[in-house]
Amino acid sequence: MKKRGHKYIFIVGGVMSGVGKGVATSSIGKILQGKGFIVNLIKIDPYLNVDAGTMNPTEHGEVFVLNSGLECDQDMGNYERFMDHELKDEDYITSGMVYQRVIERERNLGYKGKCVEAIPHIRDEITRRIVRAADLNGSHISLIEIGGTIGDYQNVMFMEAARVLKVKNPDDVLFIMVSFLPIPAKLGEMKTRPTQNAVRQLNSYGIQPDMIIARSEVPLDKKRKEKIAISCNVRVEHVISAPDIESIYEVPINFEKDHLGELLLDLLKIKRTRRGTDLKKWRVFVKRLKEIKQSVDIAIVGKYFDTGDFMLSDAYISVIEAVKFSCYKLGVHPNIYWINAKDFERAVPRRFPDGSQGRQGKKISALKKYDGIIVPGGFGETGIEGKLKVIRFARENKVPYLGLCYGMQLALVEYARNVLNIKDAHTVEINPKTKNPVIDIMPEQKKLVEENKYGATMRLGAYPAHLKSGTLARSMYNEKVISERHRHRYEVNLNYIEKFEKGGLVFSGVSPDRKLMEIAELPQNIHPFFLGTQFHPEFKARPLHPHPLFTGFIKAAVKHKRSHKKKRKK
Ligand code: GLN
């Protein structure tokens, strides 16, 4: 280890997945940051994918994109939102990256003829990455979230790397287990046994947790804290109660009720010489969001429904959070509605999950009740015609519309078809043979796709765009040049720009070489808010710094709601 005295806190999950390890990690990061420390957060994903880019959102939730263009786990989005800083590539580690590097090194004789093995070589490569991330971030403390649950075969090597780091630096490494305490409905009693078992299993790896964050529906009582403490070898005050709460942004404040920050600094033997803000702004933000009375109804039209509604919010998590932050800033609460684009496609005979048969199709006028509509990013054919109908409805009925990436491309397809009267206009992603490819594949992308080179090959990460004066985009950003994160293979076809512009559409954001259209909008005398972006503004929205485009969109939605209410009253 290069930097002496650097502190590492490993966060591992017990009992089951999905209990909020990512939010716990983000919250601990926030607390320590609030105490004046530079903290870097690392997410370890034990899968063999080199990054998250090739994974379907129904499998793994949203693919979050860093400034650098790295496609990673949605937890990285949580980290950025809580910490309010930009993460580095080194803050993300997958088994795929680790193995790829070790195997490449072996092929290059990097191990000088040695037999290359999981231990020590894979283990040491993991440690190298963790230490390097700390160095590059210049942090005092690293928080490392090990994905998966204790007992998974996949994360054993990461546990082993963590154990050895602790052996070598006994005063500088801590372990926190985020566990779950079920309350079986029939018993009505909170059970600690699964947590005890998870700790035993962790002990079998040679690791003793220093602290247990106990997730449950309700707060832990004294008796259960004591029981966990006795059976798991931790002190009672190191058992932190983490009940379900309304907003994840309250978690740091909740943890602080148990003095988690001070306890961690004691455990790490850190003298509290730093001056922090102690979450001052964060507390104001949380207080505000809890006081909100008004609401606004926002529809998100997606397609990743296939594993049930549960996955949906995961697949679009950054969009939802971006909507929330702008809403909170404007003092409204967002009611978010999930609309399945497929519902608006022609009524087709269907066999439903219960075995019955019928026809399904929803009337587009059902959209009337929403104050704003978002079509977020996406890939492929499913739900396209439904999305086009939704966009047409928003445009014609002057409902505020925000199109994100695919949502902008499809807005252009819709505009070409129904305003410019180019009936067969399409994106070549769906119809490669269309005579009117208003959205075309980027030339450098074509070859990659033909060669099946899909991993990390899209146009990814931060690129600048120049904004046109006098436009909606420019007024919202209040800047001439912006930088936003991208993830796409297709783009507006330059051969159609003139037609679009003559037909009333404005390209208010373009790449510096003017070859890529980054923002398209309708003038405000035509439509109060109809705007699409080729990039993903949602990746840069933060609780304390809401994104201007989302704020503009929500403002328009609130206005729409007011004018509708008035009309209904008359
Ligand atoms: N499928 C489109 C493209 O690749 C849009 C991508 C997206 O929405 N992120 O260009």
Side-chain angles (χ1 to χ4, degrees):
M1 202 171 18
K2 200 173 133 203
K3 247 192 325 172
R4 295 201 53 215
H6 183 85
K7 306 291 182 182
Y8 298 92
I9 305 178
F10 287 90
I11 291 106
V12 300
V15 180
M16 61 185 205
S17 64
V19 294
K21 230 183 325 144
V23 171
T25 307
S26 310
S27 301
I28 297 168
K30 190 79 214 166
I31 291 169
L32 294 173
Q33 185 189 51
K35 300 217 173 288
F37 295 92
I38 302 174
V39 188
N40 78 298
L41 274 57
I42 298 178
K43 174 73 198 277
I44 290 179
D45 268 327
Y47 45 64
L48 284 171
N49 303 57
V50 173
D51 57 44
T54 53
M55 272 183 277
N56 186 328
T58 48
E59 281 281 319
H60 194 71
E62 171 187 272
V63 177
F64 189 76
V65 181
L66 301 186
N67 259 357
S68 66
L70 182 75
E71 297 164 287
C72 50
D73 183 76
Q74 52 174 313
D75 272 332
M76 298 284 280
N78 270 328
Y79 294 177
E80 281 204 347
R81 289 187 280 270
F82 274 76
M83 301 301 285
D84 210 352
H85 69 210
E86 276 159 13
L87 293 171
K88 299 188 189 316
D89 286 5
E90 287 75 11
D91 298 327
Y92 188 55
I93 304 175
T94 66
S95 295
M97 288 178 193
V98 171
Y99 279 82
Q100 193 180 44
R101 154 115 187 174
V102 169
I103 292 169
E104 268 170 14
R105 207 175 145 193
E106 180 276 321
R107 294 286 80 188
N108 301 334
L109 265 186
Y111 295 100
K112 301 197 168 62
K114 279 207 186 94
C115 172
V116 180
E117 311 226 43
I119 292 179
H121 301 107
I122 294 293
R123 181 197 65 202
D124 291 353
E125 171 60 16
I126 294 168
T127 317
R128 187 189 72 83
R129 283 177 181 260
I130 293 171
V131 173
R132 195 171 126 83
D135 284 346
L136 287 173
N137 279 290
S139 58
H140 305 109
I141 306 171
S142 299
L143 294 184
I144 306 115
E145 178 188 348
I146 301 185
T149 312
I150 297 161
D152 288 353
Y153 180 73
Q154 293 91 318
N155 58 23
V156 166
M157 229 17 94
F158 296 102
M159 300 279 184
E160 178 61 6
R163 183 190 70 80
V164 173
L165 200 60
K166 168 93 183 177
V167 171
K168 292 188 178 164
N169 310 277
D171 291 336
D172 296 332
V173 179
L174 281 192
F175 288 93
I176 299 179
M177 186 175 101
V178 180
S179 192
F180 180 69
L181 285 90
I183 309 173
K186 280 256 162 59
L187 300 176
E189 187 198 338
M190 187 188 283
K191 305 304 277 181
T192 61
R193 176 68 52 153
T195 297
Q196 297 180 35
N197 287 343
V199 171
R200 298 254 151 85
Q201 192 148 17
L202 189 60
N203 290 159
S204 76
Y205 297 156
I207 296 172
Q208 168 62 38
D210 299 279
M211 184 177 270
I212 295 177
I213 293 181
R215 288 277 300 111
S216 193
E217 269 171 49
V218 294
L220 247 69
D221 56 8
K222 198 165 161 263
K223 194 177 150 198
R224 284 184 179 70
K225 277 194 176 181
E226 282 167 357
K227 204 168 170 184
I228 291 177
I230 286 276
S231 57
C232 301
N233 284 319
V234 289
R235 282 168 45 184
V236 179
E237 62 268 34
H238 292 159
V239 180
I240 309 288
S241 172
D244 287 350
I245 37 179
E246 228 170 272
S247 165
I248 56 170
Y249 301 108
E250 244 183 291
V251 175
I253 293 164
N254 232 33
F255 280 173
E256 276 298 69
K257 285 185 189 149
D258 275 350
H259 312 288
L260 184 132
E262 296 288 310
L263 291 170
L264 281 177
L265 296 185
D266 282 345
L267 278 168
L268 288 168
K269 302 190 178 67
I270 293 179
K271 285 184 212 87
R272 262 143 284 155
T273 49
R274 299 192 169 271
R275 292 183 72 176
T277 56
D278 259 332
L279 307 180
K280 214 167 162 193
K281 285 188 186 156
W282 196 263
R283 285 179 201 276
V284 174
F285 161 73
V286 171
K287 190 164 171 265
R288 261 188 82 117
L289 78 88
K290 291 178 80 171
E291 285 167 353
I292 288 168
K293 304 244 157 28
Q294 310 272 3
S295 67
V296 65
D297 295 329
I298 304 296
I300 300 182
V301 185
K303 72 159 188 176
Y304 297 115
F305 281 81
D306 308 47
T307 44
D309 286 359
F310 298 112
M311 275 312 289
L312 197 72
S313 54
D314 262 7
Y316 301 117
I317 179 162
S318 292
V319 178
I320 302 166
E321 300 310 301
V323 167
K324 283 186 194 167
F325 305 150
S326 290
C327 278
Y328 299 155
K329 179 175 173 165
L330 297 170
V332 289
H333 176 81
N335 295 323
I336 295 176
Y337 298 86
W338 299 112
I339 312 287
N340 189 342
K342 281 182 263 184
D343 289 351
F344 295 109
E345 296 184 347
R346 201 162 36 91
V348 285
R350 277 228 177 124
R351 179 182 280 277
F352 296 107
D354 64 0
S356 65
Q357 289 188 11
R359 290 176 76 80
Q360 197 175 356
K362 213 174 187 172
K363 276 212 179 114
I364 200 79
S365 59
L367 290 173
K368 252 192 217 145
K369 53 178 178 281
Y370 304 113
D371 307 316
I373 297 175
I374 297 177
V375 172
F379 295 84
E381 194 169 6
T382 326
I384 289 301
E385 293 304 322
K387 284 183 187 175
L388 289 170
K389 275 192 194 169
V390 169
I391 296 168
R392 181 175 192 170
F393 176 89
R395 184 177 56 75
E396 291 181 344
N397 292 279
K398 301 196 194 303
V399 182
Y401 173 76
L402 181 61
L404 306 170
C405 203
Y406 218 11
M408 160 174 155
Q409 296 176 354
L410 294 175
L412 263 66
V413 171
E414 189 279 321
Y415 204 77
R417 285 188 189 176
N418 301 319
V419 180
L420 308 184
N421 229 348
I422 311 175
K423 289 295 169 205
D424 58 354
H426 219 325
T427 159
V428 297
E429 180 172 357
I430 309 303
N431 181 2
K433 292 203 181 100
T434 177
K435 289 217 177 67
N436 284 296
V438 291
I439 306 296
D440 205 353
I441 189 154
M442 291 187 260
E444 61 276 21
Q445 288 289 334
K446 206 169 172 182
K447 201 162 165 268
L448 293 165
V449 171
E450 277 164 9
E451 290 170 4
N452 278 347
K453 289 191 177 146
Y454 287 106
T457 58
M458 282 188 236
R459 179 169 180 252
L460 292 166
Y463 286 96
H466 291 210
L467 303 184
K468 195 171 181 170
S469 58
T471 60
L472 181 58
R474 175 73 183 268
S475 73
M476 286 187 288
Y477 275 104
N478 207 13
E479 273 172 284
K480 277 186 192 160
V481 184
I482 55 160
S483 170
E484 293 281 2
R485 298 183 191 174
H486 298 70
R487 184 170 187 251
H488 64 118
R489 285 190 204 284
Y490 299 85
E491 57 163 339
V492 182
N493 186 337
L494 293 179
N495 298 334
Y496 290 85
I497 301 294
E498 220 183 296
K499 281 193 182 130
F500 275 121
E501 285 181 336
K502 270 194 185 143
L505 202 78
V506 177
F507 292 102
S508 48
V510 294
S511 62
D513 63 4
R514 309 195 69 80
K515 286 194 173 144
L516 296 166
M517 299 299 115
E518 296 279 13
I519 310 177
E521 62 180 71
L522 282 178
Q524 274 179 290
N525 58 354
I526 305 288
H527 192 293
F529 193 108
F530 188 89
L531 182 139
T533 61
Q534 185 55 81
F535 49 81
H536 292 270
E538 67 271 24
F539 292 145
K540 285 182 75 171
R542 310 265 173 84
L544 303 183
H545 297 101
H547 196 288
L549 289 190
F550 279 89
T551 306
F553 168 69
I554 298 296
K555 240 183 220 166
V558 171
K559 216 167 159 189
H560 182 83
K561 180 175 179 167
R562 286 205 190 115
S563 68
H564 263 230
K565 251 196 192 161
K566 260 190 218 152
K567 267 187 212 154
R568 263 182 246 138
K569 269 187 195 158
K570 275 179 197 165

